[in-house]
Amino acid sequence: PSQQFLEAIVVGNRGYFGSGVGGGGVHIVDLTNPYSPTLLGTVTPSNGNGHAGIHEMVVFSQGSKTFLIENYNSLSTTKILKVIDVTNPAAPVFVRDIVPTEPQWVHAMHIRGNRMFTSGWGNSANRGRTEIYHISNIDTQAPTLLGFISDPSPTISAGNAMHSSWSSEDGNYLYSCRETSNGTGDLRVYNVTNPATPLLVNS
């Protein structure tokens, strides 16, 4: 009852629920029988070195393992993304921190193949960055930053407020949404065939 869940992901018969308020971290649940869900484990600061408050997360498989990447529900102090091996939900294993070049915090992440795309919020002094990482061996190698998008705009609104993005299935295009309060928000389309030099093609 004390939890406020902000994010939910279901992969197969397993659910991942991120607690934004209440310090509950991520609850991993067996949903084989959805009328009788079973808690398999939690990822918290003391169990798997995760965040206590979750805003967004990604769950993906690489090799024989399942990984969770999560961010913190805060605009103030922590922009670190945490990578945790949740192959065994009862015993999550911390893998690494990812420290983005985004100046404020990462609002959302998604993965396409061996690439991870982030959406950076920015602040009044620095524009948000949507970053593109190579993550082919997340378990043993730190991700490599391939490039980033820092949207140009005549009006800075919360640092461009990159809320979320999604890539096309072939990985060639990225659709980036900006959440603003002054009417300048839009959806921007980039050609990311060469992630080092993303090209704005539409908005």
Side-chain angles (χ1 to χ4, degrees):
S2 64
Q3 303 301 313
Q4 177 195 73
F5 290 98
L6 293 184
E7 177 75 319
I9 297 172
V10 176
V11 180
N13 60 4
R14 191 162 289 181
Y16 302 81
F17 303 96
S19 175
V21 176
V26 176
H27 295 229
I28 306 175
V29 181
D30 184 347
L31 300 173
T32 302
N33 179 359
Y35 294 97
S36 182
T38 303
L39 182 65
L40 300 175
T42 58
V43 180
T44 64
S46 60
N47 193 43
N49 192 27
H51 288 305
I54 307 299
H55 192 277
E56 296 279 341
M57 58 187 177
V58 176
V59 176
F60 68 104
S61 295
Q62 201 170 78
S64 61
K65 296 184 177 181
T66 301
F67 296 96
L68 167 72
I69 301 180
E70 55 181 37
N71 72 1
Y72 178 50
N73 182 31
S74 171
L75 280 170
S76 57
T77 58
T78 302
K79 63 179 182 178
I80 292 173
L81 305 180
K82 289 191 171 287
V83 182
I84 298 143
D85 180 348
V86 291
T87 307
N88 178 0
V93 177
F94 174 74
V95 176
R96 69 183 69 253
D97 286 334
I98 301 173
V99 182
T101 62
E102 153 62 26
Q104 185 72 34
W105 77 314
V106 170
H107 188 274
M109 310 82 66
H110 84 274
I111 290 171
R112 176 76 63 190
N114 288 326
R115 290 183 179 177
M116 179 177 72
F117 299 84
T118 69
S119 295
W121 198 253
N123 53 43
S124 59
N126 298 284
R127 298 182 188 278
R129 286 186 169 187
T130 289
E131 299 173 328
I132 306 170
Y133 289 90
H134 182 71
I135 60 161
S136 62
N137 298 294
I138 195 81
D139 196 24
T140 58
Q141 296 178 359
T144 303
L145 181 64
L146 300 176
F148 65 87
I149 298 163
S150 185
D151 280 332
S153 175
T155 303
I156 295 179
S157 175
N160 287 83
M162 295 184 190
H163 180 277
S164 52
S165 66
W166 201 256
S167 54
S168 58
E169 291 191 7
D170 60 10
N172 292 331
Y173 293 92
L174 184 71
Y175 303 84
S176 177
C177 295
R178 294 171 57 239
E179 178 188 3
T180 68
S181 58
N182 64 359
T184 63
D186 57 8
L187 168 65
R188 299 185 179 188
V189 186
Y190 294 88
N191 185 322
V192 291
T193 305
N194 180 357
T197 56
L199 176 65
L200 178 67
V201 295
N202 208 342
S203 66

PDB file of all heavy atoms in Angstrom, residues 12-37:
ATOM      1  N   GLY A  12       7.325 -12.065 -21.334  1.00  0.00           N
ATOM      2  CA  GLY A  12       6.863 -13.436 -21.138  1.00  0.00           C
ATOM      3  C   GLY A  12       5.886 -13.480 -19.980  1.00  0.00           C
ATOM      4  O   GLY A  12       4.898 -12.752 -19.947  1.00  0.00           O
ATOM      5  N   ASN A  13       6.158 -14.316 -18.992  1.00  0.00           N
ATOM      6  CA  ASN A  13       5.277 -14.412 -17.824  1.00  0.00           C
ATOM      7  C   ASN A  13       5.886 -13.727 -16.599  1.00  0.00           C
ATOM      8  O   ASN A  13       5.490 -14.000 -15.473  1.00  0.00           O
ATOM      9  CB  ASN A  13       4.948 -15.873 -17.502  1.00  0.00           C
ATOM     10  CG  ASN A  13       6.191 -16.694 -17.188  1.00  0.00           C
ATOM     11  OD1 ASN A  13       7.307 -16.160 -17.145  1.00  0.00           O
ATOM     12  ND2 ASN A  13       6.012 -17.996 -16.981  1.00  0.00           N
ATOM     13  N   ARG A  14       6.842 -12.830 -16.837  1.00  0.00           N
ATOM     14  CA  ARG A  14       7.520 -12.157 -15.736  1.00  0.00           C
ATOM     15  C   ARG A  14       7.259 -10.655 -15.798  1.00  0.00           C
ATOM     16  O   ARG A  14       7.428 -10.026 -16.846  1.00  0.00           O
ATOM     17  CB  ARG A  14       9.013 -12.446 -15.796  1.00  0.00           C
ATOM     18  CG  ARG A  14       9.789 -12.013 -14.563  1.00  0.00           C
ATOM     19  CD  ARG A  14      11.135 -12.702 -14.499  1.00  0.00           C
ATOM     20  NE  ARG A  14      10.996 -14.128 -14.179  1.00  0.00           N
ATOM     21  CZ  ARG A  14      12.003 -14.977 -14.044  1.00  0.00           C
ATOM     22  NH1 ARG A  14      13.243 -14.543 -14.209  1.00  0.00           N
ATOM     23  NH2 ARG A  14      11.789 -16.244 -13.749  1.00  0.00           N
ATOM     24  N   GLY A  15       6.832 -10.083 -14.682  1.00  0.00           N
ATOM     25  CA  GLY A  15       6.559  -8.656 -14.614  1.00  0.00           C
ATOM     26  C   GLY A  15       7.606  -7.933 -13.788  1.00  0.00           C
ATOM     27  O   GLY A  15       8.107  -8.456 -12.783  1.00  0.00           O
ATOM     28  N   TYR A  16       7.935  -6.714 -14.216  1.00  0.00           N
ATOM     29  CA  TYR A  16       8.897  -5.859 -13.518  1.00  0.00           C
ATOM     30  C   TYR A  16       8.179  -4.554 -13.199  1.00  0.00           C
ATOM     31  O   TYR A  16       7.723  -3.859 -14.107  1.00  0.00           O
ATOM     32  CB  TYR A  16      10.119  -5.600 -14.398  1.00  0.00           C
ATOM     33  CG  TYR A  16      10.833  -6.857 -14.838  1.00  0.00           C
ATOM     34  CD1 TYR A  16      10.357  -7.605 -15.917  1.00  0.00           C
ATOM     35  CD2 TYR A  16      11.977  -7.296 -14.183  1.00  0.00           C
ATOM     36  CE1 TYR A  16      10.997  -8.769 -16.321  1.00  0.00           C
ATOM     37  CE2 TYR A  16      12.634  -8.452 -14.591  1.00  0.00           C
ATOM     38  CZ  TYR A  16      12.140  -9.188 -15.663  1.00  0.00           C
ATOM     39  OH  TYR A  16      12.775 -10.332 -16.063  1.00  0.00           O
ATOM     40  N   PHE A  17       8.077  -4.223 -11.920  1.00  0.00           N
ATOM     41  CA  PHE A  17       7.307  -3.073 -11.488  1.00  0.00           C
ATOM     42  C   PHE A  17       8.201  -2.130 -10.695  1.00  0.00           C
ATOM     43  O   PHE A  17       8.771  -2.522  -9.668  1.00  0.00           O
ATOM     44  CB  PHE A  17       6.103  -3.523 -10.657  1.00  0.00           C
ATOM     45  CG  PHE A  17       5.216  -4.488 -11.392  1.00  0.00           C
ATOM     46  CD1 PHE A  17       5.356  -5.858 -11.202  1.00  0.00           C
ATOM     47  CD2 PHE A  17       4.284  -4.038 -12.304  1.00  0.00           C
ATOM     48  CE1 PHE A  17       4.560  -6.759 -11.900  1.00  0.00           C
ATOM     49  CE2 PHE A  17       3.479  -4.928 -13.006  1.00  0.00           C
ATOM     50  CZ  PHE A  17       3.615  -6.296 -12.809  1.00  0.00           C
ATOM     51  N   GLY A  18       8.338  -0.886 -11.182  1.00  0.00           N
ATOM     52  CA  GLY A  18       9.231   0.081 -10.572  1.00  0.00           C
ATOM     53  C   GLY A  18       8.498   1.030  -9.654  1.00  0.00           C
ATOM     54  O   GLY A  18       7.547   1.705 -10.065  1.00  0.00           O
ATOM     55  N   SER A  19       8.929   1.101  -8.407  1.00  0.00           N
ATOM     56  CA  SER A  19       8.305   1.947  -7.397  1.00  0.00           C
ATOM     57  C   SER A  19       8.912   3.343  -7.439  1.00  0.00           C
ATOM     58  O   SER A  19      10.093   3.521  -7.137  1.00  0.00           O
ATOM     59  CB  SER A  19       8.495   1.336  -6.003  1.00  0.00           C
ATOM     60  OG  SER A  19       7.997   2.202  -5.013  1.00  0.00           O
ATOM     61  N   GLY A  20       8.117   4.330  -7.818  1.00  0.00           N
ATOM     62  CA  GLY A  20       8.613   5.698  -7.859  1.00  0.00           C
ATOM     63  C   GLY A  20       8.641   6.342  -6.495  1.00  0.00           C
ATOM     64  O   GLY A  20       9.514   7.148  -6.188  1.00  0.00           O
ATOM     65  N   VAL A  21       7.680   6.025  -5.652  1.00  0.00           N
ATOM     66  CA  VAL A  21       7.595   6.573  -4.299  1.00  0.00           C
ATOM     67  C   VAL A  21       7.398   5.407  -3.338  1.00  0.00           C
ATOM     68  O   VAL A  21       6.590   4.518  -3.588  1.00  0.00           O
ATOM     69  CB  VAL A  21       6.426   7.566  -4.172  1.00  0.00           C
ATOM     70  CG1 VAL A  21       6.299   8.049  -2.733  1.00  0.00           C
ATOM     71  CG2 VAL A  21       6.613   8.751  -5.110  1.00  0.00           C
ATOM     72  N   GLY A  22       8.134   5.420  -2.255  1.00  0.00           N
ATOM     73  CA  GLY A  22       8.015   4.364  -1.254  1.00  0.00           C
ATOM     74  C   GLY A  22       9.289   3.587  -1.056  1.00  0.00           C
ATOM     75  O   GLY A  22       9.381   2.753  -0.152  1.00  0.00           O
ATOM     76  N   GLY A  23      10.295   3.835  -1.900  1.00  0.00           N
ATOM     77  CA  GLY A  23      11.594   3.211  -1.710  1.00  0.00           C
ATOM     78  C   GLY A  23      11.639   1.727  -2.018  1.00  0.00           C
ATOM     79  O   GLY A  23      12.530   1.024  -1.566  1.00  0.00           O
ATOM     80  N   GLY A  24      10.681   1.242  -2.817  1.00  0.00           N
ATOM     81  CA  GLY A  24      10.589  -0.190  -3.048  1.00  0.00           C
ATOM     82  C   GLY A  24      11.429  -0.728  -4.177  1.00  0.00           C
ATOM     83  O   GLY A  24      11.471  -1.941  -4.392  1.00  0.00           O
ATOM     84  N   GLY A  25      12.102   0.138  -4.941  1.00  0.00           N
ATOM     85  CA  GLY A  25      12.916  -0.325  -6.051  1.00  0.00           C
ATOM     86  C   GLY A  25      12.085  -1.024  -7.106  1.00  0.00           C
ATOM     87  O   GLY A  25      10.978  -0.590  -7.435  1.00  0.00           O
ATOM     88  N   VAL A  26      12.593  -2.124  -7.640  1.00  0.00           N
ATOM     89  CA  VAL A  26      11.900  -2.895  -8.674  1.00  0.00           C
ATOM     90  C   VAL A  26      11.433  -4.223  -8.092  1.00  0.00           C
ATOM     91  O   VAL A  26      12.230  -4.963  -7.511  1.00  0.00           O
ATOM     92  CB  VAL A  26      12.815  -3.147  -9.893  1.00  0.00           C
ATOM     93  CG1 VAL A  26      12.113  -4.041 -10.910  1.00  0.00           C
ATOM     94  CG2 VAL A  26      13.211  -1.819 -10.538  1.00  0.00           C
ATOM     95  N   HIS A  27      10.157  -4.512  -8.248  1.00  0.00           N
ATOM     96  CA  HIS A  27       9.587  -5.786  -7.824  1.00  0.00           C
ATOM     97  C   HIS A  27       9.487  -6.686  -9.051  1.00  0.00           C
ATOM     98  O   HIS A  27       8.902  -6.301 -10.072  1.00  0.00           O
ATOM     99  CB  HIS A  27       8.185  -5.584  -7.241  1.00  0.00           C
ATOM    100  CG  HIS A  27       8.170  -4.779  -5.984  1.00  0.00           C
ATOM    101  ND1 HIS A  27       7.496  -5.176  -4.858  1.00  0.00           N
ATOM    102  CD2 HIS A  27       8.746  -3.587  -5.664  1.00  0.00           C
ATOM    103  CE1 HIS A  27       7.648  -4.277  -3.904  1.00  0.00           C
ATOM    104  NE2 HIS A  27       8.410  -3.310  -4.379  1.00  0.00           N
ATOM    105  N   ILE A  28      10.046  -7.892  -8.965  1.00  0.00           N
ATOM    106  CA  ILE A  28      10.015  -8.852 -10.062  1.00  0.00           C
ATOM    107  C   ILE A  28       9.023  -9.950  -9.685  1.00  0.00           C
ATOM    108  O   ILE A  28       9.152 -10.576  -8.627  1.00  0.00           O
ATOM    109  CB  ILE A  28      11.409  -9.430 -10.345  1.00  0.00           C
ATOM    110  CG1 ILE A  28      12.415  -8.285 -10.584  1.00  0.00           C
ATOM    111  CG2 ILE A  28      11.364 -10.365 -11.547  1.00  0.00           C
ATOM    112  CD1 ILE A  28      13.841  -8.737 -10.748  1.00  0.00           C
ATOM    113  N   VAL A  29       8.029 -10.168 -10.549  1.00  0.00           N
ATOM    114  CA  VAL A  29       6.868 -10.976 -10.189  1.00  0.00           C
ATOM    115  C   VAL A  29       6.600 -12.038 -11.245  1.00  0.00           C
ATOM    116  O   VAL A  29       6.664 -11.761 -12.453  1.00  0.00           O
ATOM    117  CB  VAL A  29       5.620 -10.066 -10.032  1.00  0.00           C
ATOM    118  CG1 VAL A  29       4.400 -10.881  -9.640  1.00  0.00           C
ATOM    119  CG2 VAL A  29       5.884  -8.972  -9.012  1.00  0.00           C
ATOM    120  N   ASP A  30       6.301 -13.249 -10.805  1.00  0.00           N
ATOM    121  CA  ASP A  30       5.877 -14.319 -11.697  1.00  0.00           C
ATOM    122  C   ASP A  30       4.383 -14.147 -11.968  1.00  0.00           C
ATOM    123  O   ASP A  30       3.563 -14.180 -11.053  1.00  0.00           O
ATOM    124  CB  ASP A  30       6.141 -15.679 -11.056  1.00  0.00           C
ATOM    125  CG  ASP A  30       5.816 -16.849 -11.980  1.00  0.00           C
ATOM    126  OD1 ASP A  30       5.152 -16.628 -13.019  1.00  0.00           O
ATOM    127  OD2 ASP A  30       6.221 -17.977 -11.665  1.00  0.00           O
ATOM    128  N   LEU A  31       4.029 -13.937 -13.239  1.00  0.00           N
ATOM    129  CA  LEU A  31       2.640 -13.710 -13.638  1.00  0.00           C
ATOM    130  C   LEU A  31       2.066 -14.892 -14.410  1.00  0.00           C
ATOM    131  O   LEU A  31       1.100 -14.727 -15.158  1.00  0.00           O
ATOM    132  CB  LEU A  31       2.541 -12.444 -14.495  1.00  0.00           C
ATOM    133  CG  LEU A  31       3.004 -11.144 -13.832  1.00  0.00           C
ATOM    134  CD1 LEU A  31       3.013 -10.012 -14.842  1.00  0.00           C
ATOM    135  CD2 LEU A  31       2.108 -10.804 -12.658  1.00  0.00           C
ATOM    136  N   THR A  32       2.667 -16.078 -14.221  1.00  0.00           N
ATOM    137  CA  THR A  32       2.158 -17.256 -14.917  1.00  0.00           C
ATOM    138  C   THR A  32       0.660 -17.400 -14.682  1.00  0.00           C
ATOM    139  O   THR A  32      -0.110 -17.666 -15.600  1.00  0.00           O
ATOM    140  CB  THR A  32       2.895 -18.524 -14.436  1.00  0.00           C
ATOM    141  OG1 THR A  32       4.293 -18.365 -14.666  1.00  0.00           O
ATOM    142  CG2 THR A  32       2.394 -19.748 -15.188  1.00  0.00           C
ATOM    143  N   ASN A  33       0.250 -17.238 -13.442  1.00  0.00           N
ATOM    144  CA  ASN A  33      -1.172 -17.151 -13.102  1.00  0.00           C
ATOM    145  C   ASN A  33      -1.435 -15.720 -12.647  1.00  0.00           C
ATOM    146  O   ASN A  33      -1.150 -15.374 -11.504  1.00  0.00           O
ATOM    147  CB  ASN A  33      -1.534 -18.135 -11.995  1.00  0.00           C
ATOM    148  CG  ASN A  33      -3.006 -18.049 -11.610  1.00  0.00           C
ATOM    149  OD1 ASN A  33      -3.761 -17.233 -12.154  1.00  0.00           O
ATOM    150  ND2 ASN A  33      -3.423 -18.874 -10.673  1.00  0.00           N
ATOM    151  N   PRO A  34      -1.971 -14.873 -13.520  1.00  0.00           N
ATOM    152  CA  PRO A  34      -2.129 -13.469 -13.152  1.00  0.00           C
ATOM    153  C   PRO A  34      -3.094 -13.247 -11.994  1.00  0.00           C
ATOM    154  O   PRO A  34      -3.087 -12.182 -11.381  1.00  0.00           O
ATOM    155  CB  PRO A  34      -2.648 -12.825 -14.439  1.00  0.00           C
ATOM    156  CG  PRO A  34      -3.240 -13.939 -15.222  1.00  0.00           C
ATOM    157  CD  PRO A  34      -2.439 -15.152 -14.882  1.00  0.00           C
ATOM    158  N   TYR A  35      -3.935 -14.241 -11.692  1.00  0.00           N
ATOM    159  CA  TYR A  35      -4.845 -14.117 -10.558  1.00  0.00           C
ATOM    160  C   TYR A  35      -4.144 -14.428  -9.235  1.00  0.00           C
ATOM    161  O   TYR A  35      -4.686 -14.182  -8.165  1.00  0.00           O
ATOM    162  CB  TYR A  35      -6.041 -15.053 -10.737  1.00  0.00           C
ATOM    163  CG  TYR A  35      -6.907 -14.665 -11.904  1.00  0.00           C
ATOM    164  CD1 TYR A  35      -6.752 -15.293 -13.137  1.00  0.00           C
ATOM    165  CD2 TYR A  35      -7.861 -13.656 -11.792  1.00  0.00           C
ATOM    166  CE1 TYR A  35      -7.528 -14.932 -14.226  1.00  0.00           C
ATOM    167  CE2 TYR A  35      -8.644 -13.295 -12.882  1.00  0.00           C
ATOM    168  CZ  TYR A  35      -8.477 -13.926 -14.090  1.00  0.00           C
ATOM    169  OH  TYR A  35      -9.243 -13.567 -15.168  1.00  0.00           O
ATOM    170  N   SER A  36      -2.934 -14.990  -9.348  1.00  0.00           N
ATOM    171  CA  SER A  36      -2.167 -15.311  -8.151  1.00  0.00           C
ATOM    172  C   SER A  36      -0.683 -15.031  -8.405  1.00  0.00           C
ATOM    173  O   SER A  36       0.135 -15.948  -8.498  1.00  0.00           O
ATOM    174  CB  SER A  36      -2.371 -16.789  -7.769  1.00  0.00           C
ATOM    175  OG  SER A  36      -1.663 -17.094  -6.588  1.00  0.00           O
ATOM    176  N   PRO A  37      -0.325 -13.749  -8.545  1.00  0.00           N
ATOM    177  CA  PRO A  37       1.074 -13.411  -8.829  1.00  0.00           C
ATOM    178  C   PRO A  37       1.982 -13.753  -7.654  1.00  0.00           C
ATOM    179  O   PRO A  37       1.565 -13.719  -6.498  1.00  0.00           O
ATOM    180  CB  PRO A  37       1.024 -11.894  -9.053  1.00  0.00           C
ATOM    181  CG  PRO A  37      -0.193 -11.437  -8.335  1.00  0.00           C
ATOM    182  CD  PRO A  37      -1.183 -12.558  -8.410  1.00  0.00           C
TER     183      PRO A  37
END
